[in-house]
Amino acid sequence: MDKKIEKKTWTPQKIAAILGGAILLGGIVYQIGFADHRSTMNVEQDRLSIGTVSTGEFTDYILVSGQIEPARTVYLDAIEGGVVNQVIRESGTLLKKGDTILVLNNSNLQLDVMQRETMLYEQINNLRQTRLLLDQNDLNQQGQLAEIDYQISLLEPQYKRFKELHAKKLVSDREFEEVKEQYEYNVKRRKLTYASYRNDSIARSIQLNQLKLSESRMNASLTGVGNILDNLVITAPIAGQLATPVQLEIGQAINPGQRYGQIDMLDEFKVRVPIDELYLPRISQGLRGKFTLSGKDYELEITKIYPTIANGRFEVDMAFTGESPEGIRRGQSVRIRLELGQSEQSLLLPTGGFFKDTGGNWVFVLNPTTGNAEKRTIRLGRKNPEFYEVLEGLVEGEKVIISGYENFGDNEVLEMK
């Protein structure tokens, strides 16, 4: 007898199929909604440089190199050319003001000076001769006036006496007229002679003053011409150390205007600092810097800015605000920390090679949970040789890969090994 077999609803195969479909569907949903689709790359953590974001005092400064120079230097340029006849003091010698350094010889200059002195002496003699002639003319005119006054002194009493006698009819008209005419002639002559003498005296006074000034100028020129030869004996204008670019030798020719050396004052020094032209708008007088020498810090201050830019750099002079180091020498190099602004509290990220790859727009930040490094957008501000100023995107304590990113490509997650 046959027995009817009932078909089971939940067979093992059906249950397995449903479970498999549910798992597949769950995987699809997870991949769509929850899975991490970012590109990843495996890296070795030991080869990376990692910096920690911290809060601290941000000092806006740059590191520059400068050279020690004397605060004051006097350059020695040849006023007159010549051949070196004697080398009295050589390069490196400490000089006192007035010490003789070189003696030059210039035969042509000596001959020229003699000719010019002769011409000046002739001109001075001509001026003196002209002044003598003016004095003689003055004496002649005074003599003429004296002679006229003498004639008037003789004729005036005679004229008065004849006038009285003529009134009494004791002398003839002719005799009276002769005396009268002689007297009036001399009186008129004196007036004309005196007027001429007065005008000549005014002109003579002006001319004598001009002659005096001319003679004074010629005497000064004569003195100056004589001093030209003094320029062949070169002396120290100040006290200091002599420095010449090359060793001067006897017989060496020096041209007019040629710079043959300099004298450095050793009682005060400054530092000449070349700076990249990028910082020119931020550099001003009064900015301070410091450097360390033999374990001691020395402070400097910008006192002069040279506006000329050469090879992408401009120069500034920095003076010591306190004591200067002992034993420093011209040309010695120092490394200066030049401050560009006031210090202030900021969020800091150590500098590194990442900046050239990202421009400071993003970094890889370590995730403390997964141990991986994830790409994150940030914003940086000012920079000094040690830190970047963080404006957005990071918080204190986070760790950031600060080494170069050139090998990471476009990956957004770095899995650490």
Side-chain angles (χ1 to χ4, degrees):
M1 178 177 176
D2 293 333
K3 185 179 180 181
K4 184 178 179 180
I5 300 175
E6 294 182 358
K7 188 176 182 180
K8 294 182 179 180
T9 304
W10 298 100
T11 63
Q13 294 82 358
K14 189 174 183 179
I15 293 173
I18 293 173
L19 289 175
I23 293 172
L24 178 61
L25 179 61
I28 294 173
V29 171
Y30 175 79
Q31 290 293 327
I32 295 175
F34 302 100
D36 189 352
H37 298 285
R38 294 177 295 178
S39 56
T40 62
M41 177 180 181
N42 294 326
V43 295
E44 295 183 10
Q45 187 171 348
D46 293 342
R47 296 185 178 183
L48 303 177
S49 296
I50 298 175
T52 302
V53 179
S54 61
T55 300
E57 188 176 78
F58 180 84
T59 302
D60 193 6
Y61 73 94
I62 56 175
L63 293 176
V64 292
S65 295
Q67 283 193 331
I68 302 293
E69 293 186 358
R72 184 184 175 196
T73 297
V74 175
Y75 294 103
L76 302 175
D77 296 340
I79 300 176
E80 301 292 343
V83 176
V84 176
N85 190 32
Q86 287 181 282
V87 180
I88 308 298
R89 288 174 172 82
E90 297 183 349
S91 181
T93 305
L94 293 177
L95 301 174
K96 297 179 181 179
K97 183 177 180 180
D99 285 349
T100 302
I101 301 172
L102 289 176
V103 177
L104 304 179
N105 184 34
N106 189 330
S107 300
N108 292 332
L109 179 63
Q110 292 170 336
L111 180 60
D112 179 63
V113 167
M114 292 174 62
Q115 292 175 345
R116 292 166 68 178
E117 285 180 336
T118 301
M119 293 176 58
L120 286 170
Y121 277 124
E122 290 179 354
Q123 293 176 3
I124 290 173
N125 288 332
N126 291 335
L127 289 176
R128 291 174 178 174
Q129 186 66 28
T130 302
R131 185 168 59 190
L132 180 60
L133 292 175
L134 290 174
D135 291 340
Q136 289 177 347
N137 182 57
D138 181 64
L139 291 174
N140 289 334
Q141 287 183 321
Q142 291 184 29
Q144 291 177 6
L145 286 172
E147 176 64 25
I148 294 171
D149 288 339
Y150 174 71
Q151 293 296 327
I152 291 175
S153 67
L154 295 176
L155 292 172
E156 186 177 8
Q158 187 179 5
Y159 168 69
K160 291 179 180 180
R161 186 168 57 253
F162 269 62
K163 186 176 181 181
E164 292 177 356
L165 294 174
H166 181 263
K168 297 176 181 181
K169 305 297 183 179
L170 296 177
V171 294
S172 63
D173 291 342
R174 181 181 177 185
E175 290 175 332
F176 175 69
E177 290 295 333
E178 287 179 357
V179 174
K180 179 182 179 182
E181 286 177 359
Q182 289 180 7
Y183 173 72
E184 291 179 348
Y185 165 72
N186 280 281
V187 170
K188 185 175 181 180
R189 181 185 171 198
R190 190 191 188 286
K191 290 181 179 179
L192 294 174
T193 303
Y194 180 76
S196 175
Y197 173 71
R198 184 182 61 187
N199 292 335
D200 287 349
S201 295
I202 296 173
R204 182 168 51 252
S205 177
I206 295 173
Q207 194 169 0
L208 286 173
N209 285 333
Q210 292 175 343
L211 290 174
K212 184 178 180 180
L213 291 174
S214 296
E215 185 176 358
S216 177
R217 286 195 294 269
M218 287 185 182
N219 283 322
S221 298
L222 187 62
T223 302
V225 170
N227 291 337
I228 289 176
L229 295 180
D230 293 340
N231 294 327
L232 297 178
V233 179
I234 299 169
T235 59
I238 62 171
Q241 186 177 40
L242 175 65
T244 58
V246 295
Q247 179 63 41
L248 298 173
E249 303 292 345
I250 295 176
Q252 179 180 343
I254 294 181
N255 299 320
Q258 178 180 338
R259 179 164 296 172
Y260 56 86
Q262 63 190 44
I263 298 177
D264 299 328
M265 295 185 66
L266 302 180
D267 56 346
E268 188 176 353
F269 290 89
K270 65 180 180 181
V271 182
R272 179 69 59 84
V273 183
I275 302 175
D276 193 292
E277 62 180 324
L278 174 67
Y279 296 99
L280 181 57
R282 302 184 62 189
I283 299 298
S284 61
Q285 292 185 4
L287 290 181
R288 298 206 166 205
K290 64 181 179 180
F291 69 91
T292 302
L293 185 65
S294 300
K296 187 175 181 180
D297 291 338
Y298 297 93
E299 293 190 352
L300 302 164
E301 181 178 275
I302 294 179
T303 56
K304 185 175 182 180
I305 301 173
Y306 296 89
T308 303
I309 297 176
N311 299 322
R313 291 179 173 271
F314 66 99
E315 293 183 329
V316 301
D317 282 344
M318 301 189 73
F320 288 93
T321 57
E323 62 176 347
S324 57
E326 295 183 1
I328 56 175
R329 302 179 63 87
R330 179 187 182 92
Q332 184 175 347
S333 296
V334 291
R335 190 71 168 165
I336 302 170
R337 177 185 172 119
L338 178 60
E339 296 184 2
L340 303 179
Q342 297 294 328
S343 300
E344 58 182 33
Q345 288 293 115
S346 301
L347 199 60
L348 306 178
L349 175 64
T351 56
F354 72 93
F355 190 87
K356 66 182 179 63
D357 299 310
T358 70
N361 296 317
W362 56 272
V363 290
F364 281 107
V365 183
L366 268 65
N367 188 326
T369 302
T370 63
N372 297 332
E374 301 173 354
K375 185 175 180 180
R376 185 189 299 178
T377 300
I378 64 170
R379 186 162 68 92
L380 301 179
R382 295 172 295 175
K383 170 186 178 295
N384 64 31
E386 297 177 292
F387 296 102
Y388 291 102
E389 183 183 29
V390 179
L391 302 180
E392 292 180 3
L394 296 172
V395 296
E396 183 179 4
E398 288 189 311
K399 296 186 178 298
V400 178
I401 297 176
I402 58 174
S403 51
Y405 291 180
E406 62 273 10
N407 298 323
F408 297 163
D410 295 330
N411 293 292
E412 298 180 73
V413 177
L414 303 179
E415 294 185 356
M416 299 296 181
K417 291 185 178 180

